[in-house]
């Protein structure tokens, strides 16, 4: 296709790059849609491996083009079509997390889905810029990072777990200070100290 023919359909280079980015993101959406439907009922880790594979394939299938689009994407103006595709990607990731909500520590929210996408995209983009071409080792590293994040309790769950632990402790449990052997003053007063030296002498004086 000649350059002149392209400009019959696009007003400028930015529009061409935006369409290329949309095409790549549509491919990711289609891959995730097949994953969500075709892997229903399978273990979480199997589905996460396939989710990571979609992201790695998008970067390594055409690595030079992917690197070029990654560097240009941040300079492009807001695009409603691209935003809609990104929202769809997040919704599909969230659907996978919802299907396995009892297997992960993170709430299957839009924020968690965005974090998962950021982990995949960040690691895959970095590998692409570093010139990596082998998908297998990259998929393994990204998978481990995603699983590690999902299995790590979020702040609210950690707080709730600590609260439950404190409530489960017996009321007469030793304090942390006693457990680690720190010195503490005896809360019971010394009778001799209360009576004073005169009282001790008078107590020993014969009647």
């Amino acid at each position: 296709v000649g350059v002149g023919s392209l400009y019959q359909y696009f007003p400028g280079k930015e529009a061409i790059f935006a369409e290329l980015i949309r095409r790549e993101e549509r491919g990711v959406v289609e891959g995730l849609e097949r994953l969500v439907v075709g892997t229903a009922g399978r273990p979480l880790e199997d589905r996460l491996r396939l989710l990571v594979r979609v992201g790695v394939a998008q970067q390594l299938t055409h690595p030079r083009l992917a690197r070029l689009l990654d560097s240009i994407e941040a300079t492009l103006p807001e695009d409603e079509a691209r935003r809609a595709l990104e929202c769809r990607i997040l919704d599909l990731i969230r659907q996978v997390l919802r299907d396995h909500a009892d297997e992960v520590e993170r709430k299957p929210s839009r924020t968690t889905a965005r974090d998962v996408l950021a982990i995949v995209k960040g690691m895959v983009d970095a590998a692409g810029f570093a010139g990596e071409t082998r998908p297998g080792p990259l998929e393994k590293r990204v998978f481990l990072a995603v699983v590690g994040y999902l299995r790590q309790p979020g702040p609210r769950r950690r707080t709730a777990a600590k609260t439950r632990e404190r409530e489960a402790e017996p009321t007469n449990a030793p304090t942390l200070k006693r457990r680690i052997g720190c010195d503490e003053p005896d809360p019971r007063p010394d009778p001799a100290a209360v009576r004073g030296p005169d009282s001790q002498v008078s107590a020993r004086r014969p009647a």
Side-chain angles (χ1 to χ4, degrees):
V1 179
V3 175
S5 300
L6 281 176
Y7 286 113
Q8 291 179 2
Y9 302 97
F10 300 99
K13 290 182 180 179
E14 286 187 351
I16 295 173
F17 287 133
E19 178 55 33
L20 288 172
I21 292 170
R22 286 194 292 269
R23 186 189 69 177
E24 294 297 310
E25 292 187 343
R26 281 194 293 268
V28 173
V29 168
E30 292 169 1
L32 291 176
E33 286 176 339
R34 288 192 298 270
L35 183 154
V36 170
V37 175
T39 64
R42 291 180 61 176
L44 171 63
E45 293 192 355
D46 288 354
R47 302 182 86 189
L48 291 178
R49 283 191 179 91
L50 293 172
L51 185 152
V52 168
R53 186 168 298 167
V54 170
V56 171
Q58 188 269 340
Q59 177 75 37
L60 297 188
T61 301
H62 303 289
R64 292 181 63 185
L65 175 61
R67 290 196 296 271
L68 175 63
L69 296 180
D70 287 340
S71 63
I72 291 173
E73 184 174 7
T75 68
L76 296 177
E78 291 291 331
D79 186 317
E80 290 294 333
R82 279 193 293 129
R83 187 182 298 110
L85 288 168
E86 290 170 2
C87 289
R88 180 59 178 158
I89 290 171
L90 292 177
D91 288 340
L92 291 165
I93 295 173
R94 191 178 180 187
Q95 181 60 54
V96 173
L97 300 179
R98 280 175 173 169
D99 292 344
H100 302 272
D102 59 338
E103 300 177 51
V104 297
E105 294 291 341
R106 300 280 177 171
K107 183 179 179 181
S109 63
R110 176 64 70 89
T111 299
T112 302
R114 189 181 297 113
D115 288 347
V116 170
L117 179 60
I119 292 170
V120 175
K121 185 172 175 58
M123 293 184 69
V124 169
D125 287 355
F129 279 109
E132 288 193 43
T133 58
R134 296 174 57 200
L138 178 57
E139 288 177 9
K140 184 175 181 180
R141 297 200 310 272
V142 179
F143 168 76
L144 291 175
V146 170
V147 171
Y149 167 74
L150 293 175
R151 294 278 165 82
Q152 176 68 26
R156 290 185 179 180
R157 294 200 179 193
R158 285 198 298 269
T159 302
K162 289 181 180 179
T163 301
R164 288 193 296 271
E165 289 176 4
R166 287 196 297 268
E167 291 174 349
E169 288 183 355
T171 55
N172 60 348
T175 63
L176 176 61
K177 196 172 182 181
R178 287 189 184 276
R179 285 199 298 269
I180 63 176
C182 295
D183 295 331
E184 281 186 323
D186 191 338
R188 295 172 299 179
D190 183 358
V194 172
R195 289 195 301 267
D198 293 339
S199 300
Q200 296 177 31
V201 172
S202 60
R204 292 193 295 271
R205 186 178 300 160

